[in-house]
Amino acid sequence: MFRWARRDLTGNFPGIAWWFAASLLALLVLAGFPAKTRAEPLLDRYLELAQPSELVPGADSYGPVRGDLPVAPALKDGKPVGWVFLTSDFVPTAGYSGKPIHILAGVSDEAVITGVRLVKHSEPIVLVGIPEARIREVTEKYAGLDLRKEASSEKEEHELDIVSGATVTIMIIDDSIVRAGIKVAKALSLGGLTPDTETVAARRSVDRGVDAVEDWQTLTGDGSVRHFTLDVETINADFAALGDPRAGAHTEPGPDSDAYIDVWTALVSQPAIGRSLLGDAEYANLKALLKDGDEAILVAGRGRWSFKGSGYVRGGIFDRIQVIQGDISHRFRDREHRRVARLAAAGAPDMTETDVFIIPQKAGFDAAASWRLQMLVQRPVGAIDKLFLNYDLGYDLPDRFLVAQEAPAVAAPAARPSAEESAVAIRDALWLRIWDAKRNEVVILGLGLAFLTGIFFFQTIATRNERVFNIIRTAFLVFTLVFIGWYANAQLSVVNVLAVFSALVSDFRWETFLMDPLIFVMWFAVAAALLFWARGAYCGWLCPFGALQELSNKIARLLRVPQVTLPWGLHERLWPVKYVIFLGLFGMSLYSLEMAEHYAEIEPFKTAIILKFDRPWPYVLFALAMLAPGLFIERFYCRYVCPLGGGLAIPARLHMFRWLKRYKECGNPCQVCAHDCPVQAIHPTGEINPNECISCLNCQVLYQHTAKCPVVVAKIKKRERFEKQNGLAPSGSGQPPVNYKPKANAPAASNL
């Protein structure tokens, strides 16, 4: 038994791999791809995750969920004292993960939020480092929010408590709670609010026939262009009013009368306003961009505060402004944005920022109704801490641009999509937007993968010159660490493996895995590489943490840090540890994926790569503890601990090709490659263990090295003796030796 197992590890008998593959196939067949079952009310599914008193103070139980509206009464001694709802039943807003953020909330008969509980989310920024307790703390602060004020056209009374690093996630949560709360309060007629009733005959629409060009004074005078300004003194006073003592130590410098916020906005999809502000050429370009039902607004500013900022460059979302209309809101993405060189209206002032933002038809925006531009202002008060304020700029299109809308013919009302259907539609649209925003990074990663593929396919040429190959490999490792890891955050994890398996046996959707383009491309590349080169293509070249280990070891060698080579017997008994860790996490994921994700912190990837060591000290200390042995034992973590490497090695047993060239003398008697292998993946008997090989191609450099490989050296010496005995020109010189006299009937050098 022991002998069979050992031979299997060296690549001769793929019994374990076939057994694992067959078992996995059987499990999938038994589990099946479950058919679409009848949709269970979302509130029913999550209601048990919060105690009644947490959502409605004093409540001791829940009543049955209403049949006409997904809300449940909160009962005290059998009598209703409030109502409980799930935000995603009313506002299926998708987060960065592409999945809804599920929040339970309670509301009183006076339309006041009484309690909030975050019950389910898949936000990656929280999963990779920001404490979830911090996010929960923010959501719980919505208790006491008066929905009557939020539903009015007045400025919102509440202020956002933004968590640094999760700005957009918090904004999505805020939007979900407020919008869903207003819908529930109106539907139940709480606090004097009434259900929305649409009187079609009284509605008005934008008159597109008015297109006369007018000057700046006329446009600002009748409200076609609205203005908001705030000086330095006021902004400092508003931050001081938040009650945080740190605000006073980070005030905006004077003069106090300087404009801090100085912003104008207008509806430029109305022809007269658009032509006046943009000019005929720019307006024609805008019309070509707008699809049926789309609208566009202009935002211009010249104060100290920028309404664009720089966050959209990284995340593709403008997180400082959003358009709010009733219970809908729209935050702009980079592809909905166009820069404008200058304002064309006569008499218009010079602006430091002038931009057009497109509101797509699916946002449900009504250009003829009142709306407001909400502006988020932040103030750093620490290394990573910030304070936030909201300001609103209201907008009503002047009456001269409106026309009464006639009542349409009576038609059957369109079926309203369910919350689940809306969430799916949002998710489907979201991954397409994310890919569009990340297209440059995808192209760069694709070029890197193509270059690496070329190295593997033409490895004989790539490894011919040791010095050149070392430069190429080091440069690629720097690319992997800096671009793939620290910039693009495309570090794969064993969590991805467990999540894929969980999706396969539950509710698989491609869109879920398409939400992160770079991770998806990396997994696709790894899947293909497993068939050709086993796990080495990823572990040896594309893993950012692996690159960090190897580069740090190179620096340690330059600093003459002594290197340790473990005895083969100890090394052979340590490498199964990573397989044990992987199987432990895999088994744990069958019981609870969340638990497996928690214990997957044995991977220091999040700390060292995703968050660049910006985590609490225990995580940083653990990551350094995993890196430190690598200064003495190259790729220590990869060899003995990494569960991802263990997980990739199992299916890699099925790889179809053997690319690494060997001589019959390798291992018997020659041990040069085995002694020089960076990860000791070559057995003393000469076999390369595909489970442990990282495809660094070091052995292929040695395979044709004219000074280090005994086999090559022996061939060269043999050829030189032959050439000398026969008076031939040395191979490769192109010139005969000194005193060269060819022998009669000597064979030509070209025929050797």
Side-chain angles (χ1 to χ4, degrees):
M1 177 66 182
F2 173 81
R3 184 175 300 172
W4 174 83
R6 167 146 180 184
R7 294 190 67 190
D8 184 77
L9 286 174
T10 63
N12 294 329
F13 298 101
I16 292 179
W18 284 111
W19 172 85
F20 180 83
S23 300
L24 179 60
L25 181 61
L27 181 60
L28 289 176
V29 171
L30 290 175
F33 291 93
K36 199 76 174 179
T37 57
R38 184 179 59 85
E40 179 186 356
L42 292 178
L43 180 60
D44 276 339
R45 190 183 308 171
Y46 293 104
L47 199 57
E48 62 182 18
L49 298 181
Q51 294 298 319
S53 58
E54 293 178 320
L55 302 176
V56 179
D60 52 29
S61 63
Y62 297 117
V65 177
R66 287 178 47 156
D68 60 335
L69 192 69
V71 297
L75 308 176
K76 180 180 181 181
D77 298 329
K79 297 181 179 180
V81 291
W83 299 90
V84 175
F85 63 93
L86 187 74
T87 57
S88 45
D89 274 329
F90 294 88
V91 184
T93 305
Y96 260 150
S97 63
K99 298 180 180 180
I101 299 176
H102 299 294
I103 302 170
L104 282 172
V107 60
S108 69
D109 290 338
E110 291 74 31
V112 174
I113 297 291
T114 55
V116 176
R117 176 76 181 274
L118 175 64
V119 291
K120 180 68 175 178
H121 72 86
S122 302
E123 292 301 271
I125 191 62
V126 179
L127 293 176
V128 301
I130 293 179
E132 185 158 332
R134 181 73 180 94
I135 307 297
R136 293 185 183 277
E137 178 186 349
V138 171
T139 60
E140 290 168 3
K141 289 183 178 180
Y142 281 83
L145 182 68
D146 191 337
L147 296 173
R148 292 170 298 184
K149 295 179 179 178
E150 300 298 323
S152 70
S153 59
E154 303 173 2
K155 176 185 179 299
E156 293 185 18
E157 294 297 323
H158 79 281
E159 302 293 347
L160 281 177
D161 184 7
I162 298 294
V163 176
S164 296
T167 303
V168 175
T169 296
I170 294 300
M171 289 178 172
I172 292 172
I173 290 174
D174 173 83
D175 178 70
S176 299
I177 295 173
V178 174
R179 288 171 56 196
I182 291 174
K183 286 187 175 182
V184 171
K186 287 183 176 180
L188 297 175
S189 300
L190 304 178
L193 297 175
T194 57
D196 291 324
T197 56
E198 184 178 30
T199 55
V200 178
R203 288 192 58 186
R204 297 191 294 176
S205 61
V206 178
D207 188 350
R208 314 286 177 176
V210 181
D211 61 355
V213 175
E214 294 167 330
D215 60 18
W216 180 257
Q217 183 175 359
T218 302
L219 294 170
T220 55
D222 71 351
S224 299
V225 177
R226 297 297 174 98
H227 182 214
F228 180 88
T229 184
L230 200 69
D231 59 26
V232 170
E233 181 180 15
T234 305
I235 195 71
N236 284 333
D238 287 351
F239 272 113
L242 293 178
D244 193 315
R246 298 174 296 176
H250 297 80
T251 58
E252 184 72 20
D256 287 348
S257 58
D258 277 6
Y260 182 77
I261 301 177
D262 202 8
V263 172
W264 285 262
T265 192
L267 183 78
V268 289
S269 49
Q270 200 289 322
I273 301 175
R275 291 183 59 213
S276 300
L277 294 176
L278 304 178
D280 288 335
E282 283 289 342
Y283 180 70
N285 292 335
L286 175 63
K287 283 186 65 178
L289 289 174
L290 295 179
K291 301 175 182 178
D292 289 342
D294 290 356
E295 301 289 351
I297 66 169
L298 177 134
V299 183
R302 59 177 182 175
R304 298 186 186 183
W305 177 77
S306 168
F307 59 80
K308 291 193 298 184
S310 59
Y312 73 95
V313 177
R314 299 184 301 273
I317 296 179
F318 291 87
D319 58 4
R320 296 190 175 190
I321 58 173
Q322 67 174 330
V323 165
I324 298 177
Q325 187 177 65
D327 61 357
I328 68 169
S329 64
H330 182 73
R331 196 172 301 280
F332 300 101
R333 300 194 66 89
D334 51 0
R335 69 190 186 99
E336 299 167 343
H337 158 252
R338 295 292 183 274
R339 291 185 177 89
V340 177
R342 63 178 184 84
L343 293 174
D350 293 331
M351 303 289 179
T352 55
E353 294 178 320
T354 307
D355 300 82
V356 169
F357 295 93
I358 298 173
I359 307 173
Q361 184 269 340
K362 62 184 178 182
F365 179 76
D366 182 2
S370 299
W371 55 273
R372 52 196 168 99
L373 180 72
Q374 187 175 86
M375 298 166 282
L376 178 69
V377 181
Q378 62 185 25
R379 170 170 292 180
V381 292
I384 60 173
D385 293 332
K386 298 176 183 179
L387 299 178
F388 295 87
L389 287 172
N390 277 333
Y391 295 94
D392 287 350
L393 169 56
Y395 189 91
D396 289 277
L397 194 63
D399 289 342
R400 63 193 182 96
F401 298 123
L402 297 173
V403 62
Q405 185 177 15
E406 295 181 0
V410 177
R416 184 182 181 87
S418 67
E420 286 283 6
E421 292 170 338
S422 299
V424 169
I426 292 172
R427 180 174 58 195
D428 292 348
L430 181 61
W431 76 262
L432 292 171
R433 294 200 303 268
I434 293 174
W435 276 75
D436 183 56
K438 297 287 186 180
R439 58 185 178 275
N440 293 335
E441 290 90 338
V442 171
V443 169
I444 294 173
L445 178 59
L447 293 174
L449 293 173
F451 179 76
L452 180 60
T453 303
I455 290 177
F456 280 126
F457 272 111
F458 303 101
Q459 63 186 36
T460 301
I461 298 174
T463 59
R464 184 169 295 167
N465 185 299
E466 181 181 19
R467 181 173 177 273
V468 172
F469 178 74
N470 286 338
I471 293 174
I472 292 174
R473 176 161 171 78
T474 302
F476 198 93
L477 290 175
V478 172
F479 166 78
T480 296
L481 175 62
V482 176
F483 176 77
I484 297 180
W486 285 339
Y487 177 80
N489 291 341
Q491 168 75 63
L492 302 186
S493 166
V494 70
V495 173
N496 302 128
V497 178
L498 303 179
V500 169
F501 181 83
S502 176
L504 287 174
V505 298
S506 57
D507 186 16
F508 180 83
R509 288 189 60 87
W510 274 110
E511 295 81 357
T512 302
F513 302 99
L514 289 167
M515 287 300 168
D516 194 325
L518 298 174
I519 293 293
F520 181 84
V521 172
M522 285 288 286
W523 272 119
F524 184 84
V526 169
L530 288 177
L531 297 177
F532 285 85
W533 303 288
R535 75 180 182 98
Y538 176 75
C539 294
W541 294 81
L542 294 171
C543 175
F545 190 76
L548 177 60
Q549 289 181 88
E550 187 164 332
L551 292 172
S552 61
N553 182 266
K554 288 180 181 291
I555 296 174
R557 289 173 183 266
L558 291 175
L559 298 176
R560 301 186 182 279
V561 174
Q563 300 298 298
V564 177
T565 300
L566 296 182
W568 177 258
L570 176 60
H571 167 69
E572 192 176 28
R573 285 160 178 77
L574 284 178
W575 79 40
V577 172
K578 60 180 174 287
Y579 300 102
V580 174
I581 295 174
F582 170 74
L583 292 175
L585 292 173
F586 179 77
M588 197 178 299
S589 71
L590 298 179
Y591 171 72
S592 170
L593 182 60
E594 289 76 9
M595 181 186 297
E597 290 174 346
H598 174 74
Y599 285 100
E601 284 289 351
I602 196 171
E603 293 180 328
F605 305 161
K606 299 174 186 177
T607 302
I609 304 300
I610 305 298
L611 297 176
K612 307 172 188 66
F613 295 99
D614 185 15
R615 290 190 85 181
W617 69 265
Y619 294 99
V620 175
L621 188 62
F622 176 75
L624 295 176
M626 292 296 100
L627 285 170
L631 302 177
F632 308 92
I633 304 172
E634 186 169 347
R635 286 184 175 255
F636 174 87
Y637 183 85
C638 291
R639 295 198 213 182
Y640 309 123
V641 184
C642 182
L644 176 61
L648 294 179
I650 295 175
R653 299 286 298 168
L654 303 177
H655 74 284
M656 300 182 293
F657 303 97
R658 298 290 188 270
W659 297 86
L660 302 179
K661 298 179 180 179
R662 310 291 287 154
Y663 295 112
K664 62 182 178 62
E665 295 87 353
C666 292
N668 185 23
C670 183
Q671 295 289 322
V672 172
C673 288
H675 290 158
D676 207 46
C677 179
V679 293
Q680 293 180 263
I682 302 178
H683 285 259
T685 51
E687 303 95 340
I688 297 176
N689 188 336
N691 290 354
E692 305 304 315
C693 177
I694 61 170
S695 298
C696 65
L697 302 184
N698 182 69
C699 60
Q700 299 308 287
V701 173
L702 295 175
Y703 181 85
Q704 49 189 331
H705 203 290
T706 57
K708 294 182 179 180
C709 178
V711 177
V712 175
V713 171
K715 288 182 177 180
I716 292 175
K717 289 181 177 180
K718 183 178 180 179
R719 184 175 66 241
E720 289 176 345
R721 286 196 302 269
F722 179 82
E723 291 168 345
K724 185 176 181 180
Q725 291 171 0
N726 291 277
L728 301 175
S731 299
S733 68
Q735 298 294 331
V738 179
N739 300 324
Y740 167 67
K741 293 181 180 180
K743 293 184 178 181
N745 301 322
S750 60
N751 294 329
L752 291 179

